[in-house]
Amino acid sequence: QVQLIESGGGLVQAGGSLRLSCAASGRTFSGHFMGWLRQAPGTERDFVAGIGWNYGTTYYADSVKGRFTISRDRAKNTVYLEMNSLKPEDTAVYYCAAKLVGTKEYTYWGQGTQVTVSS
């Protein structure tokens, strides 16, 4: 059974930092693309950052470039999202997800972790 378990969310003041973790289990993720997506109330789920499991190539939404860093530890089967200079507009539920490279839809999803940034 494939599981993606997020942790590290919480309440932080604007300008602060958080590090989210996504512990993956149940299969090998070789050939997969690991993504962080977020959803604020009343909005659609949006892509935040992603990383290729094999080569570590990274991608970011324009809104987080220069502030967020995605990384993965293949030995620990864990993906991280380091979030710095947080803004109130970063407030959302953050989801970890995985899909095969080259496919459109994510196959596996975590349960989400709440990030709240106060002004």
Side-chain angles (χ1 to χ4, degrees), residues 17-93:
S17 299
L18 282 173
R19 188 175 84 153
L20 305 183
S21 299
C22 171
S25 62
R27 65 160 296 147
T28 176
F29 288 91
S30 175
H32 281 71
F33 182 83
M34 310 298 290
W36 284 99
L37 299 92
R38 67 186 181 187
Q39 187 170 23
T43 69
E44 294 186 351
R45 195 172 297 184
D46 291 329
F47 174 81
V48 175
I51 187 167
W53 190 259
N54 289 16
Y55 298 107
T57 306
T58 58
Y59 303 84
Y60 296 95
D62 288 343
S63 59
V64 306
K65 278 181 183 175
R67 299 189 298 123
F68 291 11
T69 302
I70 188 170
S71 61
R72 91 270 189 251
D73 185 329
R74 291 191 291 181
K76 295 183 178 180
N77 251 26
T78 300
V79 180
Y80 303 98
L81 185 67
E82 184 75 35
M83 306 186 295
N84 298 314
S85 302
L86 283 161
K87 305 175 181 179
E89 50 263 44
D90 294 317
T91 295
V93 177

Side-chain angles (χ1 to χ4, degrees), residues 92-111:
V93 177
Y94 283 70
Y95 297 91
C96 176
K99 62 178 180 176
L100 280 171
V101 169
T103 60
K104 182 178 179 181
E105 301 295 332
Y106 288 92
T107 307
Y108 308 109
W109 289 88
Q111 82 287 353

